[in-house]
């Protein structure tokens, strides 16, 4: 009987100019897929090049972490961008990152929207369709990574794209399998051991203990670990160690 | 005996957001190579996409018009960018434009630096080498378009890149074959008929009448026409008509 | 019996870098209040300085045309900016423009939000309150210019600010006195004579012919003429000439 | 006999959006003058407002840390900006910061150029004159803070501005009283005790031990401590404690 297989993804390359964000190098030693910022909410050519070089060196898959064009807001604010413009913004970011990925000897392997765009296209059909359209036009073989049940993944699947669902190791879930809003108490977990235990259960049994104590199913081909909080690398290491101890194989979902 | 062959290049896609610059569509009906702005001095995803789509439709070769990162200054101000950073800035622009070119069904066919970067790397060895390095890493088969005698073309050639020289149809030349500085009287020509006549002589005889009345050699596989001045399209049309009347074949230098 | 008095306002200084937008100098010879872009949706230090200098020279009142921070979208896209951040964005723009106004010998005399922000705070209470808060903190004596019936003017008035209502000379109105949406047929008028005639009726009788042929009241201490369309200056001149012919006095609403 | 008096200045507010830089709050408890970034190389409206509010609360003088417009390069790259444009860029920054300073209950008290601009106008007469021109136009009573012997201070003085010289507590000096270039060994000191001892000698005797062991005069009405390095606050605290132990009075040079 083959064991469980899971991917570990995290947001990387989210500094800008002289400003840093998180420990890219530390995370690249732990994760299997890197969501690399493309210069619209964070990231600049130097950072993109360095992260791509390191990712290829370590066998980590490079994904395009596409975003609204909002450096001042880190892509965390909804913008009412016309769908056609959003498609072009995503294409710009995809192309730019792919250039660095190719220079590093690989290429962009998947797409994961960032921040407010990620959250918006859970329900906003027109913007979700615009992101799908960009991926289709760029390379219809590129998988998209997103939230189970989102409009984005539904439209992507309908358009023939490969869709990959993710779960969040450090976020609380409702009994209905949805994320507890960040504003609510207990929404974000901080204890590395608890997070690691949840990760194992997600990977092995595709379920998690909901905030009300019930058990809820969470499909997850990929587990998202956060990179920009203090101690992020330690938590990610704990998650990886626990998965390995449970005989869960860690590999990019893009691996053949 | 085969007749003369020449390429006509112009800067395109130099609007930004709601601001326009020049008549991209008009020029695309006249030129054979489009130097497309990549978002650092001008150009945005919408404009890049539209210009690439139209260029491919009309058989115009797409070139990356790479620049310093200076939207407020339109890339016209020297910036003392570290060479390694300049290489990455160029790679970013190349990748982003190539994405749109590929979506349109073609790809970036050559590289031509813009504005202050173009002028700087006539002599600035370190920045010239940085641009060469970017092209080499991105695609060593990409030709570079530049000024005869420039450090840029010299280093590009030494690195094994294909180099293509251009002449300026509306600029006065010194007896030594150099451009008369823009500040000096008579440096820029405005009369369409005179410009067209010079273009034919450049294409057929590889020479031009210098500002002192002497005849000077100007090698030119490509002729640059300007796109951002009033009447630019009319001048470009006059140049093209005169070349065709003189049996000069117009085709991209990238054509095989 | 004193005659009618009205102010003519228009958006100015909406170029950026090498890109131009409208005929600032032409409009400054016609209007009495200039809504000057402050660098967030358009405008840069050079343009702001020049417009302020010319405005003071011609006795035109300088208003801060504050906006979302969205140069690529010209401030025309709703952004879900947190109210506290919006307050600070408005303060930044107010201070920057006031610097140029003071260097020119005057100061910022009023505030008028731009584009998507203008439209949003017709109903969005939290963002409307954020703009009001910025004006209050900067200078509680600064009037705000806006749409009659908007949340913005209601909250501004409640906070003790001077509020000034404007009408749009080239926009169709419903029988209820609201603007016909831009998407609908007949929403925007283009005929200079018709626009001028409406302007006179607005100034003299505070009413306008609605799109259904009925007469509707439109309070208007200021009339907005558009600056960024072709022929904008000609229309503005026609409006001014018609107002003067009807003995309507033209002066900034900020005049004492 | 009155004791020595000195000012302690540091760069503050140099984060941007979600990115942080240094410990603004920690430094504000130590320094007497804050060089506040104005949004061109770093700083944004939220940061500017917060730093101004805290500075006023703690009696720290607010200075405008004006820069080239280069967020991606943190203002550390020379830009060949035309003098007239540089004047306007400086005015923009001055006005924007002054807005926040006034909202906080004070106003901008002095001007100190940042990074590459600071270094450039040590010798670049045209750019130095452009900065002087901006200060003169904005408020001829505003002091400028700079390097002894610089073109900037010389031109500022000739124009009638108040000039204030600063010394660097953690930088090595040559026997000629110039800064040792950062690239050279020993150019930057890191030991808090050594830095504090030098600060006292600068404040009390206006001299410092040069890198060759000789004693050299360094006039310094203000001492610059760095804010963006790890341990910066600890070093600043050590400097302040040593100055206080030596009975040196610490107060803004702008105090009357």
């Amino acid at each position: 009987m083959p064991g469980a297989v899971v991917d570990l993804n995290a947001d990387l390359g989210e500094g800008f100019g002289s400003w840093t964000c998180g420990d890219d190098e530390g995370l690249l030693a732990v994760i299997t897929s890197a969501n690399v910022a493309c210069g619209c909410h964070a990231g600049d050519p130097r950072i993109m090049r360095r992260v791509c070089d390191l990712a290829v060196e370590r066998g980590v898959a490079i994904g395009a972490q596409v975003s609204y064009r909002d450096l001042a807001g880190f892509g965390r604010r909804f913008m009412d961008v016309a769908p056609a413009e959003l498609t072009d913004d995503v294409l710009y970011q995809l192309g730019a990152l792919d250039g660095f990925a190719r220079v590093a000897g690989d290429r962009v392997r998947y797409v994961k929207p960032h921040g407010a765009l990620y959250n918006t296209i859970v329900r906003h059909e027109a913007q979700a369709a615009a992101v799908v359209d960009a991926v289709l036009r760029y390379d219809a073989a590129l998988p998209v990574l997103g939230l189970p049940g989102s409009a984005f993944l539904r439209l992507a699947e309908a358009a023939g794209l490969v869709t990959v669902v993710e779960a969040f190791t450090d976020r609380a879930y409702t009994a209905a399998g949805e994320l507890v809003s960040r504003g609510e108490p207990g929404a974000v977990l901080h204890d590395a051991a608890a997070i690691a235990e949840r990760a194992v259960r997600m990977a092995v049994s595709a379920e998690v203990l909901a905030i009300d104590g019930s058990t809820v199913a969470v499909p997850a081909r990929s587990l998202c670990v956060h990179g920009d909080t203090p101690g992020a690398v330690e938590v990610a290491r704990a998650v990886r160690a626990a998965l390995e101890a449970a005989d869960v194989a860690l590999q990019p979902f893009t691996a053949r």
Side-chain angles (χ1 to χ4, degrees), chain A residues 30-44:
Chain A
V30 179
I31 61 173
T32 48
S33 291
N35 318 316
V36 185
C38 302
C40 279
H41 77 283
D44 66 31

Side-chain angles (χ1 to χ4, degrees), chain A residues 212-230:
Chain A
D212 69 352
S214 62
T215 295
V216 59
V218 283
R221 175 65 187 88
S222 183
L223 299 178
C224 183
V225 292
H226 283 103
D228 54 356
T229 45

Side-chain angles (χ1 to χ4, degrees), chain A residues 3-6 199-200 203-204 240 242-250:
Chain A
V5 178
V6 85
V200 172
V204 172
R240 183 175 181 117
L243 290 166
E244 287 174 339
D247 280 328
V248 178
L250 281 147

Side-chain angles (χ1 to χ4, degrees), chain A residues 171-178 180 186 189 198 201-202 207-218:
Chain A
R171 292 288 300 276
Y173 280 79
T174 68
E178 299 192 333
V180 174
L189 287 84
R198 290 164 76 85
R201 193 160 178 192
M202 286 169 165
E207 62 185 28
V208 73
L209 205 63
I211 201 164
D212 69 352
S214 62
T215 295
V216 59
V218 283

Side-chain angles (χ1 to χ4, degrees), chain A residues 118-119 122 145-154 164-168 173 177-179:
Chain A
Y118 186 95
N119 293 330
V122 169
L145 180 57
L147 197 69
S150 61
F152 176 48
L153 290 197
R154 176 171 41 77
V164 180
V165 292
E166 68 175 340
F168 295 85
Y173 280 79
E178 299 192 333
L179 294 171

